C-alpha cells in the first residue's frame, strides 16, 4: 500500500510540472514540461527548448534559437521574429503578428484568441504558437 501511495505521489508531482497548451476553445493541444520538453496532446515528444535557448526538434536537431533580448532565430541564425517584454510578438520585419497576455491568453494580430497557456515563459509560447510547428 505504501508503494502505491508513493508512486501516486510521484506521478502527481511529475504531471503537475507540465503546463498545458490549449486551443482557443480550451482543447488541450500539447504540453511544455518545466525542462523545456514540448509534447503533443498524446504526450509524444515533439521538441525541446534547452536552458541556453536552443530550440530542437524531436531528434535533437537544432531548428532555432531564443536570444536573451527576445529575438527568435532559425537554425541558420536568421531572425524570424521577436517577443517583446510586454508580450507583443513581431515577425522579422517588426510587424505585430500576435500578443501573449499576462494571464496566458495568446492572441493573433487582430486580438482574436488563438490559445491559452499559463505559467509558461512568453518566449516559449511565442516559439510554439507563432514560429515553429511541433506537430
Amino acid at each position: 500500500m505504501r508503494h502505491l501511495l508513493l508512486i501516486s505521489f510521484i506521478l502527481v508531482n511529475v504531471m503537475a510540472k507540465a503546463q498545458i497548451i490549449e486551443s482557443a476553445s480550451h482543447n488541450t493541444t500539447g504540453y511544455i514540461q518545466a525542462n523545456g520538453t514540448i509534447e503533443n496532446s498524446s504526450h509524444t515528444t515533439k521538441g525541446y527548448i534547452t536552458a541556453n535557448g536552443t530550440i530542437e526538434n524531436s531528434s535533437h536537431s537544432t531548428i532555432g534559437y531564443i536570444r536573451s533580448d527576445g529575438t527568435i532565430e532559425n537554425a541558420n541564425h536568421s531572425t524570424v521574429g521577436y517577443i517583446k517584454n510586454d508580450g507583443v510578438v513581431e515577425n522579422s520585419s517588426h510587424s505585430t503578428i500576435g500578443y501573449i497576455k499576462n494571464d496566458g491568453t495568446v492572441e493573433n494580430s487582430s486580438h482574436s484568441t488563438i490559445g491559452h497557456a499559463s505559467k509558461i515563459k512568453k518566449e516559449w509560447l511565442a516559439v510554439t504558437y507563432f514560429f515553429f510547428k511541433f506537430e
Side-chain angles (χ1 to χ4, degrees), residues 61-73:
S61 295
T62 298
I63 60 172
Y65 304 91
I66 302 171
R67 298 296 176 210
S68 61
D69 66 355
T71 301
I72 310 298
E73 299 175 341

Side-chain angles (χ1 to χ4, degrees), residues 51-67:
N52 70 358
T54 301
I55 306 162
E56 301 174 340
N57 65 17
S58 61
S59 301
H60 289 284
S61 295
T62 298
I63 60 172
Y65 304 91
I66 302 171
R67 298 296 176 210

Side-chain angles (χ1 to χ4, degrees), residues 38-109:
I38 301 166
E39 301 173 340
N40 66 12
S41 60
S42 301
H43 290 283
T44 301
T45 298
K46 294 298 181 176
Y48 306 90
I49 301 173
T50 67
N52 70 358
T54 301
I55 306 162
E56 301 174 340
N57 65 17
S58 61
S59 301
H60 289 284
S61 295
T62 298
I63 60 172
Y65 304 91
I66 302 171
R67 298 296 176 210
S68 61
D69 66 355
T71 301
I72 310 298
E73 299 175 341
N74 66 17
N76 297 321
H77 296 282
S78 296
T79 299
V80 295
Y82 306 90
I83 177 70
K84 303 295 184 179
N85 289 334
D86 62 0
V88 174
V89 183
E90 298 175 340
N91 65 16
S92 60
S93 301
H94 290 283
S95 296
T96 298
I97 59 172
Y99 306 89
I100 299 173
K101 303 294 184 180
N102 289 332
D103 68 356
T105 301
V106 182
E107 299 175 340
N108 64 17
S109 60

